[in-house]
Amino acid sequence: MDEGFRRACMEAVRRALDEDLQSWGDITSQAVIPPGTRARGRVVMREEGVVAGLPLASMTFRALGAKVSFRSLANDGEKLPAGSVIAEVEGPALGILEGERTALNFLQRLSGIATLTSLFVAKAAPHGAVILDTRKTAPGLRALEKYAVRLGGGGNHRLGLFDGVLIKNNHLSAVGGITEAVRRARAAAHHFLKIEVEVTSLAELEEALAAGADIILLDNMDEAAMTRAVEVTAGRALLEASGSMTRERLPTVAATGVHLISMGALTHSAPAVDIHLRLVK
């Protein structure tokens, strides 16, 4: 885990615990559990899925300072069957219950993203297309959600507006067209940055190619148009398909020959994996 990602995780954990506990803590557990009570618990996946978020769950209990031990029994990125015990916790019962929901929220959400991504990756794999995420992430959780996409076998699109040039329809409306927008971007961007342009028609594709775009995003095109776009491009630029992607449609899109398929659904619509923590005697 690199330092930047570790800091992002710790900040997310801190915010989540502050939201749940504020300055009062777990008033229910404080009221009903005798001081000094100790407990053990198991974290169990109740359905098949790809595990993601175990380091965050561990950080959650450490951040509470409650001397709860968290022992992972699986690794992030593993695909496991229903019923798998992925971690054990032991320590003060109050500390376990204070961290339970926050730890599970991270595990359920990130495992859901990793699991959904793995399903889409499997659909595209026979055709060699790479599945990418987008910036359609929960505010404040982008680094974590993109980490989960990688665990599911997908790739990351740009992290934010700061690290990639993607000229979209509103940029084109503001400056008057693809050629001028690419010219300006090429003049302003440093030489490590690729220039990507969103197009909605084959005519716009031709203009983007002539302007020297490195990557061209085919926005909401049907499969026939994508196939033609691959033929017209003939390797002069990477082609990315995006818009209205479903698991059923994905194989036919990948079969057109596009290099990349980006999907906001990986992060904004992934169902949480059912994971629970149960205390044991």
Side-chain angles (χ1 to χ4, degrees):
M1 182 183 297
D2 66 53
E3 183 59 24
F5 182 62
R6 189 190 71 82
R7 286 198 301 269
C9 291
M10 290 300 298
E11 177 63 17
V13 166
R14 184 195 62 77
R15 288 197 310 267
L17 288 172
D18 285 349
E19 179 179 61
D20 208 26
L21 300 173
Q22 298 201 22
S23 59
W24 293 276
D26 178 357
I27 60 173
T28 305
S29 296
Q30 291 170 13
V32 303
I33 295 178
T37 302
R38 294 184 62 81
R40 292 185 300 115
R42 295 192 182 112
V43 182
V44 181
M45 293 184 67
R46 302 178 74 173
E47 58 183 315
E48 180 182 84
V50 177
V51 181
L54 286 166
L56 283 123
S58 180
M59 287 179 185
T60 296
F61 292 107
R62 289 205 308 271
L64 288 167
K67 297 185 178 178
V68 173
S69 69
F70 183 93
R71 186 165 71 98
S72 296
L73 301 178
N75 296 309
D76 268 13
E78 280 192 79
K79 184 175 183 180
L80 297 173
S84 297
V85 180
I86 60 174
E88 294 178 339
V89 294
E90 184 171 1
L94 179 59
I96 292 174
L97 295 176
E98 281 183 334
E100 174 189 8
R101 176 41 52 200
T102 295
L104 289 177
N105 282 348
F106 284 124
L107 284 168
Q108 290 178 316
R109 180 171 183 83
L110 298 185
S111 296
I113 291 170
T115 299
L116 183 63
T117 300
S118 71
L119 297 175
F120 282 113
V121 166
K123 291 285 187 180
H127 306 285
V130 175
I131 300 298
L132 299 177
D133 53 27
T134 71
R135 288 168 46 242
K136 295 177 182 178
T137 55
L141 297 180
R142 182 169 296 167
L144 280 59
E145 294 185 353
K146 284 179 173 282
Y147 163 73
V149 168
R150 296 195 301 274
L151 290 176
N156 296 149
H157 213 288
R158 54 185 180 160
L159 182 61
L161 293 174
F162 66 91
D163 68 340
V165 176
L166 175 50
I167 301 168
K168 305 189 77 174
N169 56 358
N170 283 334
H171 300 107
L172 299 177
S173 297
V175 301
I178 291 172
T179 302
E180 179 62 12
V182 172
R183 185 193 69 77
R184 294 187 183 196
R186 188 71 68 193
H190 62 71
H191 64 282
F192 288 118
L193 283 178
K194 302 291 187 182
I195 306 298
E196 182 169 12
V197 182
E198 178 183 274
V199 304
T200 58
S201 68
L202 293 175
E204 289 180 344
L205 170 70
E206 294 273 17
E207 185 179 355
L209 288 168
D214 301 300
I215 309 169
I216 300 174
L217 189 155
L218 310 176
D219 184 44
N220 280 301
M221 286 190 180
D222 61 29
E223 285 83 338
M226 289 182 199
T227 299
R228 181 58 183 154
V230 172
E231 294 170 353
V232 169
T233 301
R236 288 179 286 168
L238 289 177
L239 293 179
E240 174 185 339
S242 188
S244 304
M245 294 297 165
T246 64
R247 195 184 311 178
E248 294 72 27
R249 186 185 177 214
L250 188 62
T252 60
V253 171
T256 65
V258 296
H259 307 94
L260 311 166
I261 302 174
S262 57
M263 308 177 66
L266 298 181
T267 50
H268 70 58
S269 296
V273 172
D274 189 2
I275 301 173
H276 72 176
L277 188 161
R278 286 291 181 268
L279 298 185
V280 295
K281 294 182 180 181

